[in-house]
Amino acid sequence: MIKVSVSKVLSEQINAEYYSAYLYLTMSAYADRAGFKGIANWLFVQSQEEMAHGTHIYQHLLERGEMPSFAEIKLPPITFDSIKAVFEQVLAHEQHVTSLLDNIATIAMSEKDHATYNFILWYVNEQIEEEATADELLNKIKMIGDNTALLFNLDAELATRVFNDPFATQA
Ligand code: FEO
């Protein structure tokens, strides 16, 4: 039996993950239209990962015999000032998501819900890489500055990213 306080924050996290997916989709569209197809690809894959994160929490709630609660997904920003501004927001957003997940872990622990605590630790650990990658990309983009040729080199690098379902082996 899952406590109401735990169920509530897990449902809110489903919404937050789908918001993340929608945010990265708008960023991907912006990058595509700005001519950076590789960066658009990286952001599109990021969006797919966020969908997988949200769906996995949804499935967890159902497995625990709980009805997820659904809420409106807020509208993300739909345009950006620059590619650098996009990655500044990616990093800030991932830092925000980390704080949401830390809060879930804290609530699960205080409610002695070991199943949820164990479940959410995967997400907490994943955030280390999420923040590190966003930080690394932002730093590269800052160093590139106004050098369009170097930005297109990074664009080519990011074109190679492919989506791998992080939960494929857990089914
Ligand atoms: Fe679902 Fe980017 O963390």
Side-chain angles (χ1 to χ4, degrees), residues 135-154:
D135 191 49
E136 185 188 326
L137 287 173
L138 178 58
N139 280 333
K140 277 187 185 175
I141 288 163
K142 281 180 179 168
M143 282 190 279
I144 286 168
D146 294 331
N147 189 326
T148 311
L150 287 179
L151 190 54
F152 274 109
N153 282 349
L154 179 64

Side-chain angles (χ1 to χ4, degrees), residues 17 24 46 50 53 94 97 127 130:
E17 299 289 346
Y24 294 142
Q46 190 70 11
E50 302 300 356
H53 293 168
E94 289 301 333
V97 170
Q127 283 310 112
E130 291 276 75

